[in-house]
Amino acid sequence: MKDIRQVILRPIISERSYDLINENRYTFEVAKRANKIEIGKAVEELFGVTVIKVNTMNVPGKPKRVRYAKGTTRAWKKAIVTIAEGQNIEAFGI
């Protein structure tokens, strides 16, 4: 992956992600093919912070039904990025 904007897709805004901000951990939706090294470099370059650790997980799609048609929601990849103490990311509005 070349462009950092193709690696970090969007921040995840939820109650759990806001609780993790107190521990200097930020949650992002990332490209499915991105690895931990690419994600860490993209966050450092995009937000100007020092990344300590990157945890990733693949979130499977959930089965859904609309009347008689069955399907699933899309599967995606989530990254929880730990940054250095005393730094923060302004994209989360805190």
Side-chain angles (χ1 to χ4, degrees):
M1 302 235 158
K2 301 281 191 230
D3 186 21
I4 60 171
R5 299 195 189 280
Q6 291 177 343
V7 176
I8 305 292
L9 301 179
R10 67 183 180 96
I12 302 297
I13 309 297
S14 67
E15 287 184 29
R16 177 167 164 78
S17 69
Y18 270 106
D19 289 341
L20 289 174
I21 290 175
N22 296 330
E23 303 169 18
N24 283 348
R25 300 174 78 191
Y26 293 84
T27 310
F28 298 96
E29 180 181 346
V30 296
K32 287 194 66 114
R33 297 193 57 162
N35 60 35
K36 291 182 179 187
I37 296 168
E38 292 172 338
I39 295 167
K41 287 181 181 177
V43 169
E44 285 180 346
E45 192 174 324
L46 198 59
F47 299 107
V49 295
T50 305
V51 173
I52 296 174
K53 186 162 83 169
V54 177
N55 295 1
T56 60
M57 59 207 76
N58 288 309
V59 181
K62 295 181 181 179
K64 296 289 180 180
R65 234 181 90 176
V66 177
R67 194 130 189 189
Y68 302 113
K70 292 182 181 178
T72 59
T73 60
R74 67 185 183 88
W76 53 287
K77 189 171 189 177
K78 178 173 24 175
I80 299 176
V81 179
T82 305
I83 62 172
E85 193 71 33
Q87 297 181 342
N88 64 350
I89 296 176
E90 298 299 325
F92 285 80
I94 288 186

